Amino acid sequence: MADVPSMDALVALLRRLPGIGPRSAQRISYELLVRKRDLMPQLAAAFQQAHAVVRFCERCNNLSEAPLCAVCRSEHRDRSILCVVESPADLRAIEDTGVFVGEFFVLMGHLSPLDGIGPEALHIDRLSARLGETDLQEVIFATNPTLEGEATAQFLAGLVPDGVTISRIARGVPVGGELEYVDRSTLGRALHGRRLLDE
Amino acid sequence: MADVPSMDALVALLRRLPGIGPRSAQRISYELLVRKRDLMPQLAAAFQQAHAVVRFCERCNNLSEAPLCAVCRSEHRDRSILCVVESPADLRAIEDTGVFVGEFFVLMGHLSPLDGIGPEALHIDRLSARLGETDLQEVIFATNPTLEGEATAQFLAGLVPDGVTISRIARGVPVGGELEYVDRSTLGRALHGRRLLDE
Ligand SMILES: [Zn+2]
Ligand SMILES: [Zn+2]
C-alpha cells in the first residue's frame, strides 16, 4: 500500500519463502496486522532464536542446537551403516519411518555441474573421513531419485573403500520426486528393499 | 525434531498463518535454516517493525502508519460518498480498481450472532458519527456477498440518516466469495453497477 511501507516490506520478504506467492504474502500480512497482531512479536522472536541457535552437526551436517546432533550423540545407533542423504529434511523423512538404525551424512545438495555445484560443495572431505572409519560395513545412498541424485550417488560410490557394501535406496519412491515428500511407508519399504549399487 | 526445539517452535508459529499447513511450515523452516539463513533476521526485523508502527486510521480503520490513513489525509477524495467495507484488504481491493473517489469506513468484520459478533464490535459509534457528517450524500455498502455480509449491510442501512442515498455493490462478484480475491475489473464493474438498497 502506498501508505504502509512496513507492510510492503513484510509482504516482499514473505514472498521469498517457498510456496508463498504475492497473494498469499499479502493475505498473511493482513491477517497478522488486523487479527493476529500478537503473533508478530512471537514470530520475530522465533526467527531470531532459530537463527541464533540452530546450526549444523559437526559430524553429519544435520540441523542441531548442539555441536553434535541427536543421531550422532546417540549410543544406540549402528555405526556400521551410513545413510547418505541430500538434506536435513530428507534425513528427517527417513528418521520418521522408524526403520533405520544407522547413522547419516547430509551432503547439503547434489552434484549439479550446470549450477556450478561440484564435489567440493558437498563436504566431500568430511564424507571421505567418515567413510574411512574402521567399523563401517555399508553405505546406503539415499539421494533423491532424480537425475542429479543418481549421478551424485554414482560419483560418491567411487569414494567408498573396498570391502564396504554400497547400496542405493530401492526405487519404491516415484522417479523424479523429492524424498522429503514421500509418505512414510513407501519410504520405509524403499529402505528395506535397497539393492547393491552394481546389481 | 526431537533435537531442535527452536525449529519446532518456528514451525508451530508458522502453522498459525493463513494458508500454511504443517508440511508447508516445515518446508519453509528447512529452507530458511538450510539455505536462506540471512532471511531470518530480516523477517524478525520486519515483523517487529510492522507490529510497532502499523496502526488503524482514527477516521476509517484502514491500516496506516500515521493517525489518518492516506485516503483520509487526501484532499482529492469526494467526502459525499462513503463506502463501507469489512476489512482493510477489501478497502485495498476497491482502491486498486481505480474507479472509486469517495471515502471509506472499515467495519473490521461483519455481524455474526453465532460467533458473538454484534454491532458493538463493528465500531458502530464511529460509523454513526461519520454518517452524521453534513456533506454525506450516498453510502455504498461493499460488505462481502455472503449471508453475513448481506445481513450486516441490511442492519447498518438502518443507521443511515434520511435523505442519504443507500446503495449496495452490484452482484457482479460471485455469491459466497470473498471481495479481497475478486479481480479488479469485476470489482470495478460491480461498483459502477451498484443499485439502491431497496430496489
Ligand atoms: Zn549428526
Ligand atoms: Zn482513513
Side-chain angles (χ1 to χ4, degrees):
Chain A
M1 211 130 46
D3 193 35
V4 195
S6 302
M7 176 170 172
D8 295 340
L10 186 57
V11 170
L13 278 174
L14 289 172
R15 285 185 58 178
R16 295 175 61 185
L17 301 178
I20 298 191
R23 275 287 191 189
S24 185
Q26 211 173 83
R27 188 173 161 217
I28 289 170
S29 300
Y30 274 118
E31 177 81 359
L32 286 167
L33 287 165
V34 173
R35 274 179 292 268
K36 296 184 176 170
R37 295 185 71 91
D38 291 351
L39 266 189
M40 287 189 285
Q42 292 180 52
L43 280 161
F47 280 120
Q48 278 174 327
Q49 173 73 5
H51 185 251
V53 307
V54 180
R55 52 171 131 176
F56 302 109
C57 173
E58 294 173 1
R59 180 168 167 83
C60 79
N61 292 326
N62 188 15
L63 293 180
S64 176
E65 296 187 8
L68 292 181
C69 77
V71 175
C72 291
R73 284 201 311 271
S74 169
E75 295 174 359
H76 305 289
R77 309 293 298 213
D78 183 349
R79 299 206 160 198
S80 72
I81 310 180
L82 181 70
C83 183
V84 177
V85 294
E86 293 186 20
S87 73
D90 293 340
L91 184 159
R92 183 189 181 146
I94 289 178
E95 275 297 277
D96 285 349
T97 68
V99 306
F100 183 68
V101 296
E103 290 197 333
F104 290 97
F105 188 86
V106 183
L107 298 170
M108 291 295 178
H110 50 240
L111 293 178
S112 182
L114 291 179
D115 300 320
I117 303 176
E120 70 291 349
L122 302 183
H123 303 277
I124 296 287
D125 290 350
R126 280 167 51 216
L127 175 59
S128 291
R130 178 71 184 83
L131 291 172
E133 292 185 13
T134 51
D135 43 5
L136 186 66
Q137 292 178 15
E138 179 178 359
V139 177
I140 306 174
F141 286 104
T143 48
N144 280 323
T146 55
L147 279 180
E148 293 87 352
E150 297 290 353
T152 303
Q154 286 294 340
F155 173 83
L156 296 176
L159 305 178
V160 180
D162 290 343
V164 174
T165 302
I166 303 174
S167 62
R168 177 88 175 96
I169 195 171
R171 289 241 198 178
V173 291
V175 175
E178 303 277 340
L179 220 70
E180 181 179 347
Y181 302 109
V182 173
D183 67 280
R184 289 185 192 196
S185 66
T186 302
L187 198 50
R189 276 198 300 272
L191 268 168
H192 275 308
R194 68 185 183 271
R195 55 177 175 71
L196 296 180
L197 198 59
D198 293 326
E199 259 176 21
Chain B
M1 210 134 41
D3 191 35
V4 195
S6 301
M7 175 171 173
D8 294 340
L10 186 56
V11 170
L13 278 173
L14 289 173
R15 286 185 56 177
R16 296 175 62 185
L17 300 179
I20 298 191
R23 275 288 192 188
S24 184
Q26 213 174 81
R27 188 175 160 216
I28 290 169
S29 300
Y30 273 118
E31 177 80 0
L32 286 168
L33 288 165
V34 174
R35 273 179 294 265
K36 295 184 176 171
R37 295 185 71 92
D38 290 351
L39 266 189
M40 289 191 284
Q42 292 181 52
L43 280 161
F47 280 120
Q48 277 173 328
Q49 173 73 4
H51 184 251
V53 308
V54 180
R55 53 172 130 178
F56 302 110
C57 173
E58 292 173 4
R59 180 167 166 84
C60 78
N61 292 325
N62 187 16
L63 294 179
S64 177
E65 296 185 9
L68 292 181
C69 77
V71 174
C72 291
R73 284 200 312 271
S74 168
E75 294 173 0
H76 306 288
R77 310 293 298 212
D78 182 350
R79 297 207 161 199
S80 72
I81 309 180
L82 182 69
C83 183
V84 177
V85 295
E86 294 186 21
S87 73
D90 293 341
L91 184 159
R92 181 187 184 148
I94 289 177
E95 276 296 277
D96 285 349
T97 68
V99 307
F100 183 68
V101 296
E103 290 197 334
F104 291 96
F105 187 86
V106 183
L107 297 170
M108 289 296 177
H110 49 240
L111 293 177
S112 182
L114 291 178
D115 301 319
I117 303 176
E120 69 290 350
L122 302 184
H123 304 277
I124 297 287
D125 289 352
R126 280 168 50 216
L127 175 60
S128 291
R130 179 70 185 81
L131 291 172
E133 293 184 13
T134 51
D135 43 5
L136 187 65
Q137 293 178 14
E138 178 177 1
V139 177
I140 305 173
F141 287 104
T143 49
N144 281 323
T146 56
L147 280 179
E148 293 88 352
E150 297 290 353
T152 302
Q154 287 293 341
F155 173 84
L156 296 176
L159 305 178
V160 179
D162 290 344
V164 173
T165 300
I166 303 174
S167 63
R168 177 88 176 96
I169 195 170
R171 289 244 199 175
V173 292
V175 175
E178 304 276 341
L179 221 69
E180 180 181 348
Y181 303 109
V182 174
D183 67 281
R184 290 183 189 195
S185 67
T186 302
L187 198 50
R189 276 197 301 271
L191 267 168
H192 275 308
R194 66 185 182 273
R195 54 178 177 69
L196 296 179
L197 198 59
D198 292 327
E199 261 178 19

